Amino acid sequence: MPLYLTTPAGTALSRTAFNSGVWKPAIRATGVPDNRHNGMHVLRHTYASVLLDAGESIKALSAYLGHSDPGFTLRIYTHLLPTSEDRTRRAIDHAFADDPQTPDGLETA
């Protein structure tokens, strides 16, 4: 797998180096407060929430985040999962729709 963020020597850029050398200077330059709510960890949670909202599995997300146990991922990110009521309602609406479309409104093939 190719590296997208590297040091000048072409090696992997560590989270710490990226945070102090790239992320924090960038948010300071835009006037965004340099605090916990705007830190690197927020990017991780954003990534996880976008994937979960798109329907990615906990097992796959766990692998993407580098967790060895999907149960750990579930315990950490369960609050980001769409509610089962919303998923159930969308599934039933889709099943009984007059014009078969996917739950997100795109026509099926």
Side-chain angles (χ1 to χ4, degrees), residues 9-33:
T11 59
L13 183 63
S14 72
R15 179 182 52 87
T16 303
F18 180 81
N19 194 36
S20 63
V22 178
W23 184 255
K24 286 183 182 266
I27 65 170
R28 286 185 200 124
T30 62
V32 173

Side-chain angles (χ1 to χ4, degrees), residues 1 6 10 18 24 26 50 77-78 87-89 101 108:
M1 177 179 274
T6 62
F18 180 81
K24 286 183 182 266
V50 167
Y77 295 100
T78 192
R87 286 192 314 271
T88 301
R89 190 171 20 263
Q101 295 183 352
T108 57

Side-chain angles (χ1 to χ4, degrees), residues 27-90:
I27 65 170
R28 286 185 200 124
T30 62
V32 173
D34 179 5
N35 60 34
R36 176 176 164 79
H37 300 290
N38 300 315
M40 285 289 303
H41 206 68
V42 172
L43 289 179
R44 188 173 176 86
H45 278 270
T46 300
Y47 176 74
S49 66
V50 167
L51 292 184
L52 289 171
D53 188 54
E56 186 60 87
S57 72
I58 288 292
K59 185 174 181 180
L61 180 62
S62 180
Y64 302 153
L65 294 174
H67 297 161
S68 60
D69 174 20
F72 175 79
T73 307
L74 183 58
R75 287 188 298 276
I76 298 300
Y77 295 100
T78 192
H79 67 285
L80 299 175
L81 288 169
T83 64
S84 64
E85 292 87 4
D86 289 342
R87 286 192 314 271
T88 301
R89 190 171 20 263
R90 285 193 307 265

